[in-house]
Amino acid sequence: MPIKNRLAEMHDEITGWRRHLHAHPELLFDVEETAAFVGERLKEIGVDTITPGIGRTGIVATIKGRTDTKGRVIGLRADMDALPIHEATGLDYASTVEGKMHACGHDGHTSMLLGAAKYLAETRNFDGTAVLIFQPAEEGGAGGLEMCQDGMMDRWGIQEVYGMHNMPGMPVGEFAIRPGALLASSDEFEITVTGKGGHAAAPHDAVDTTLVASQIVVTLQSVVARTVDPIKRVVLTVGTFETDSVASNVIAHTARLRGTVRTLDPEYRAIAEERVRRIAEDTASAFGAKAEMTWTPGYPATVNTPDETAFAAEAAKAVSGSVNDATDPIMPSEDFAYMLEERPGAYIFIGNGDTAMCHHPEYNFDDEAIPAGCSWYAEVIERRMPAA
């Protein structure tokens, strides 16, 4: 694997950064210590500018190449936040914060971008400006959207943007990418069913919300089975079902359902919302109950632009010798999507080996992937903006 030699030399140092971040996880926008750590490393590295406070707690830094004859500006993004999960790895650098854990590898992403930054600041073997984006609140907070709303793309003149995520189950250091939709949009719904509570021994005097809500759950499965084109992908899952009673001899007065809808096509986001609402309201009405639905739009689909995807794949081949064609998109979501809505670019997967899946309490980022990940970030800059 033709890893850049300097990055191979820095492997232990970058691993140390990664394990420090792993031991000190922070959530959403509350990543002050993480951002401070990133800022200190960037100062030591000698980047040209460091701007904190973008998207509340995000950081944007710049590195200028030896020349700038064409005014090219390329953005590289890493996410910094952790998850509200109790770690169960037993590692000697495990989370020191109860109930918080880097269970998705953002500690690895941040460290790899820092490693690439150190290499690029030392060599500056490119023509243009590299913009380093350290983002908070990827895990449900839409930090990427807030950074864009703060004017990041225009303020730094970013022309293209690239990001990376580790993928358990893929060989360590290998890459996979596809043009078009790579990850799904993610919307959430909440349905509140109101009936008439009563005694379990007298159901004829009540309107049983548990029964009504159960019918809604079953009928919602028809949204995908009978509304969506079979060659398209939509996932609808009801994740929570609760009532206002915990007694076995009580018919609950209200029941509440919460769920998520994942799609790859914008048209199905609108169709799914309309169908979920109609099924909830009409099913409840048929039983003499009432249903109210709240729909909360989430991240859009992550859509790689064709030319930039082909280029990202070339950079990956330069690092690993080959790149897998991720022919099928997957249904998790990612708020890098907001950056791709503002600028052309691409999102790529890097293999994390035979580890627990992301968001699992035994997950851990594989430090052996660090040299390849750093090299890909650096290759994107050097290849896309070759030295004059």
Side-chain angles (χ1 to χ4, degrees):
M1 183 180 292
I3 299 297
K4 294 182 184 298
N5 291 335
R6 179 63 180 122
L7 288 165
E9 293 170 0
M10 291 191 290
H11 190 183
D12 288 345
E13 180 182 18
I14 301 168
T15 296
W17 297 341
R18 204 283 293 185
R19 295 185 178 187
H20 170 85
L21 293 173
H22 187 90
H24 301 89
E26 296 177 294
L27 305 182
L28 295 171
F29 291 98
D30 299 326
V31 292
E32 286 84 1
E33 291 185 11
T34 302
F37 180 86
V38 169
E40 287 300 315
R41 301 292 79 73
L42 291 171
K43 289 178 185 177
E44 294 169 358
I45 287 166
V47 301
D48 293 296
T49 66
I50 304 171
T51 306
I54 306 301
R56 296 195 230 180
T57 47
I59 294 177
V60 176
T62 62
I63 302 172
K64 295 185 178 298
R66 292 180 185 174
T67 57
D68 186 10
T69 64
K70 299 178 180 178
R72 298 297 307 281
V73 183
I74 303 296
L76 303 175
R77 175 269 203 173
D79 35 18
M80 299 189 290
D81 58 320
L83 284 157
I85 293 176
H86 295 273
E87 183 161 353
T89 62
L91 295 165
D92 57 5
Y93 54 87
S95 173
T96 59
V97 185
E98 185 66 22
K100 299 179 184 180
M101 175 192 175
H102 270 293
C104 204
H106 297 185
D107 49 346
H109 305 161
T110 295
S111 299
M112 290 190 294
L113 185 53
L114 282 172
K118 183 170 182 176
Y119 166 84
L120 291 169
E122 289 177 352
T123 59
R124 299 182 183 263
N125 189 33
F126 59 96
D127 181 59
T129 302
V131 178
L132 315 174
I133 303 165
F134 295 90
Q135 180 207 306
E138 189 283 322
E139 297 290 357
L145 175 61
E146 291 215 13
M147 294 189 86
C148 289
Q149 290 175 334
D150 271 357
M152 176 180 68
M153 295 299 182
D154 290 337
R155 181 173 174 181
W156 278 274
I158 296 171
Q159 298 162 349
E160 298 172 14
V161 64
Y162 297 86
M164 174 168 44
H165 201 291
N166 74 94
M167 178 60 71
M170 277 176 50
V172 174
E174 291 191 6
F175 295 90
I177 195 170
R178 75 185 302 274
L182 179 68
L183 292 152
S185 62
S186 176
D187 301 321
E188 295 183 356
F189 62 85
E190 180 175 310
I191 299 169
T192 301
V193 180
T194 305
K196 181 181 177 183
H199 197 291
H204 60 290
D205 290 329
V207 176
D208 189 345
T209 53
T210 300
L211 174 63
V212 176
S214 297
Q215 291 289 337
I216 291 173
V217 171
V218 171
T219 308
L220 284 176
Q221 305 314 305
S222 69
V223 173
V224 175
R226 289 296 178 267
T227 303
V228 177
D229 184 331
I231 66 173
K232 301 290 187 178
R233 289 195 181 191
V234 176
V235 175
L236 187 156
T237 299
V238 177
T240 300
F241 187 132
E242 58 189 16
T243 72
D244 62 2
S245 172
V246 294
S248 62
N249 62 346
V250 171
I251 292 174
H253 184 69
T254 61
R256 182 172 290 106
L257 308 173
R258 295 187 183 93
T260 181
V261 175
R262 309 294 177 104
T263 71
L264 297 171
D265 300 282
E267 64 177 305
Y268 281 118
R269 295 183 81 181
I271 290 172
E273 179 181 0
E274 190 270 339
R275 291 287 293 146
V276 170
R277 188 182 305 278
R278 285 185 57 188
I279 286 170
E281 293 176 352
D282 293 352
T283 302
S285 178
F287 283 87
K290 179 182 179 182
E292 295 182 348
M293 187 197 79
T294 301
W295 183 273
T296 304
Y299 299 166
T302 302
V303 181
N304 287 337
T305 49
D307 290 346
E308 289 70 27
T309 300
F311 164 72
E314 291 176 5
K317 289 177 183 177
V319 173
S320 68
S322 64
V323 61
N324 297 323
D325 179 12
T327 55
D328 291 326
I330 58 176
M331 303 310 285
S333 60
E334 160 63 60
D335 81 340
F336 186 68
Y338 292 112
M339 298 186 190
L340 288 176
E341 285 189 331
E342 294 215 356
R343 293 294 187 273
Y347 199 58
I348 197 168
F349 295 129
I350 183 171
N352 200 57
D354 186 18
T355 64
M357 290 303 295
C358 296
H359 294 219
H360 190 283
E362 294 182 353
Y363 166 87
N364 186 39
F365 181 85
D366 193 326
D367 292 321
E368 293 306 308
I370 286 174
C374 293
S375 294
W376 180 79
Y377 276 131
E379 188 69 22
V380 166
I381 297 300
E382 292 182 339
R383 184 173 288 257
R384 198 61 163 171
M385 300 186 292

